Amino acid sequence: MFGVPVPMTTPNPKPAPEADNGIWSLYVGDLDPKVTEADLIDKFRLIGPIASARLCCDSFTGDSLHYAYVNFFTLLDASTALCFLNHKELKGKPIRIMWSQRYPLTRKTGIANLFVKNLHLSFTSAQLQTMFSMFGKILSCKVAAENGKTKGFGFVQYDSEQSAMAARNALHGTLVKGKKIYVSKFVKKSARTVTRGEAMKASLQGQNKNLFIARAEQKEIANCHMEKLKAESLPLKNSTHPVHYSSFQSLGKDLIKQRQHGNIGNQSFVGNPLRAAKMKTTLSKSHNSSTVSKC
């Protein structure tokens, strides 16, 4: 059906936690906002006698938080409800059922939790659970959805890391409904943010280092070029050819040196290099001015 072998046996009940005062509690999530406690009782009492049902709501607004707890008197009834009602629709939306965990260390740490992406948009949570159930006991299974449409990725959490790695190794890269799925260990968002931040920082440091090296090399080449120009083509007397200097200090030292050797006159011009046409105009004006002053 999905491109991988799927067992045809009845799904095994997920490992149940110890009873709390003789009560076995189920977590019921992904509820439609309109679901009430009465709706939950009507749905679950078909399995067996219910001790209680509690819909969790916001303490300020009273709006549903989209999850609830349903308690049974017997382990058998709770296990049966988990097997046969999980991923079934309630008010038009599939619900997700798992054993209630008073100390949800496994869920919070992400142990034995897998991330599955590139799923076909028609793939459901029930199909995802059927495909992954052959590798071990699943604590929770969900395909992410919004406004009734799946997002193409989901999560599967096993009761052991060994089962999770077996599923990951077997199903990663498998063709499912014409799409090659991606299966990896789940990483919490906070950890992903730190990793990306460190990677970006390292990248920027590398870029800055390369830029610094490039600039240093360019400066060294420019300085060598300037020294060569100063050594080979010092400005002669009345010369109009531009000579480039790497700094004003170098220019000042060169002018003092040439004055000492008599290679530069009192009318020398120091300024930015000019284009040929503008330099010709400037020299022409300077020549005319000199001719007039001699007359």
Side-chain angles (χ1 to χ4, degrees):
M1 180 179 179
F2 308 120
V4 294
V6 177
M8 300 305 294
T9 58
T10 303
N12 295 323
K14 302 170 185 60
E18 295 183 1
D20 185 7
N21 297 324
I23 300 297
W24 279 264
S25 182
L26 295 176
Y27 166 89
V28 185
D30 298 343
L31 295 174
D32 185 271
K34 298 179 181 179
V35 170
T36 64
E37 289 183 354
D39 295 325
L40 292 168
I41 293 173
D42 289 340
K43 185 76 171 180
F44 283 84
R45 71 180 178 181
L46 299 175
I47 303 299
I50 297 175
S52 63
R54 179 168 63 89
L55 178 66
C56 296
C57 300
D58 186 278
S59 58
F60 293 99
T61 64
D63 296 335
S64 170
L65 295 176
H66 307 160
Y67 69 91
Y69 295 93
V70 178
N71 304 314
F72 286 89
F73 290 108
T74 67
L75 174 61
L76 178 60
D77 289 340
S79 299
T80 303
L82 179 58
C83 287
F84 290 99
L85 295 182
N86 193 19
H87 306 306
K88 294 298 188 291
E89 289 189 358
L90 180 58
K91 286 193 178 294
K93 185 178 180 182
I95 61 176
R96 180 167 57 96
I97 305 175
M98 58 185 292
W99 290 108
S100 174
Q101 301 176 23
R102 294 188 62 183
Y103 307 101
L105 179 62
T106 302
R107 176 173 55 83
K108 289 187 175 181
T109 56
I111 296 174
N113 201 354
L114 297 177
F115 171 67
V116 187
K117 71 176 182 178
N118 203 36
L119 294 171
H120 194 278
L121 294 181
S122 65
F123 212 68
T124 65
S125 297
Q127 291 173 329
L128 186 66
Q129 178 148 347
T130 301
M131 185 171 65
F132 278 80
S133 62
M134 62 185 298
F135 300 98
K137 293 181 178 179
I138 296 176
L139 298 179
S140 177
C141 180
K142 175 183 180 179
V143 172
E146 186 176 9
N147 299 325
K149 296 181 179 180
T150 61
K151 293 184 175 182
F153 66 88
F155 308 92
V156 181
Q157 186 168 21
Y158 288 90
D159 65 337
S160 70
E161 188 72 15
Q162 183 179 0
S163 297
M165 290 301 96
R168 189 267 175 201
N169 294 335
L171 297 178
H172 178 65
T174 302
L175 281 176
V176 181
K177 292 190 175 183
K179 300 191 70 173
K180 185 179 291 187
I181 65 171
Y182 173 91
V183 185
S184 68
K185 290 191 64 173
F186 170 74
V187 181
K188 296 178 67 175
K189 186 176 181 180
S190 57
R192 292 199 302 271
T193 303
V194 171
T195 303
R196 289 175 181 173
E198 291 177 349
M200 183 176 293
K201 182 178 179 181
S203 176
L204 290 175
Q205 288 177 345
Q207 292 177 11
N208 291 339
K209 182 178 179 180
N210 293 336
L211 181 61
F212 176 80
I213 293 174
R215 286 180 175 175
E217 291 176 348
Q218 291 175 1
K219 185 174 182 180
E220 183 178 356
I221 293 172
N223 288 339
C224 292
H225 183 61
M226 300 308 172
E227 294 298 329
K228 184 178 180 181
L229 284 175
K230 288 190 291 183
E232 296 180 356
S233 33
L234 290 175
L236 301 176
K237 185 176 181 180
N238 298 327
S239 174
T240 59
H241 295 285
V243 178
H244 301 273
Y245 294 91
S246 59
S247 66
F248 285 107
Q249 289 82 355
S250 299
L251 173 62
K253 291 179 182 179
D254 198 16
L255 289 174
I256 293 173
K257 182 178 178 181
Q258 292 185 62
R259 281 186 182 278
Q260 291 174 349
H261 289 80
N263 292 333
I264 189 166
N266 294 330
Q267 301 299 322
S268 299
F269 172 77
V270 178
N272 293 327
L274 304 175
R275 290 184 178 274
K278 192 169 184 179
M279 182 179 292
K280 185 177 181 180
T281 303
T282 303
L283 292 175
S284 176
K285 290 181 179 179
S286 176
H287 176 72
N288 294 335
S289 175
S290 177
T291 304
V292 171
S293 61
K294 288 182 181 180
C295 296

